[in-house]
Amino acid sequence: MPGEEEGAEIDGALYEEAKEESSLGVAFQILVLEDMSDDEWIGALQRHYDHTSPGYVIGLRQHLDALRFGIFPQDSTSARQVAARMKSVMRRRRHGFSDSTRAVLE
């Protein structure tokens, strides 16, 4: 689970992802930066992605929860998908995570 400093680094990286309009960045922008309720963010993401299924946007929420809070889905398939996304975010050198943040993400 990320501490305050690691959480700030992760949120900073997600903010940068939002600027580049990656799927995870857009989800972060809608869910966190625009502070939408649970009912609102699913519809907002579906509209953004032109009526994508609720499963896709709920998956994005799971990815954000894992990155930001260390909360992983219970089923093994979703947990593996989240772990793969976390590895992808970690490999992006442009984020320049500190050693402690990398340790949390690993």
Side-chain angles (χ1 to χ4, degrees):
M1 184 163 192
E4 192 173 317
E5 289 179 27
E6 294 86 6
E9 278 189 55
I10 292 167
D11 280 357
L14 290 168
Y15 180 77
E16 291 301 315
E17 294 282 327
K19 286 184 190 175
E20 295 177 14
E21 294 195 16
S22 73
S23 58
L24 200 56
V26 169
F28 176 75
Q29 178 178 349
I30 288 173
L31 185 63
V32 178
L33 299 179
E34 295 180 15
D35 194 28
M36 291 189 177
S37 71
D38 283 345
D39 293 335
E40 295 173 316
W41 71 264
I42 291 175
L45 280 171
Q46 284 180 300
R47 284 188 299 280
H48 181 82
Y49 289 111
D50 200 21
H51 302 288
T52 300
S53 73
Y56 178 76
V57 297
I58 289 169
L60 288 172
R61 171 67 182 260
Q62 290 175 331
H63 288 91
L64 286 174
D65 286 348
L67 281 166
R68 298 182 73 228
F69 309 117
I71 300 169
F72 280 83
Q74 296 299 310
D75 70 283
S76 60
T77 301
S78 294
R80 278 193 299 275
Q81 289 173 342
V82 168
R85 171 77 52 100
M86 289 176 76
K87 287 179 184 177
S88 173
V89 169
M90 284 175 39
R91 282 192 294 259
R92 294 185 186 132
R93 295 191 181 266
R94 70 179 178 269
H95 293 313
F97 292 122
S98 67
D99 290 340
S100 63
T101 299
R102 284 193 172 282
V104 165
L105 292 171
E106 288 175 358

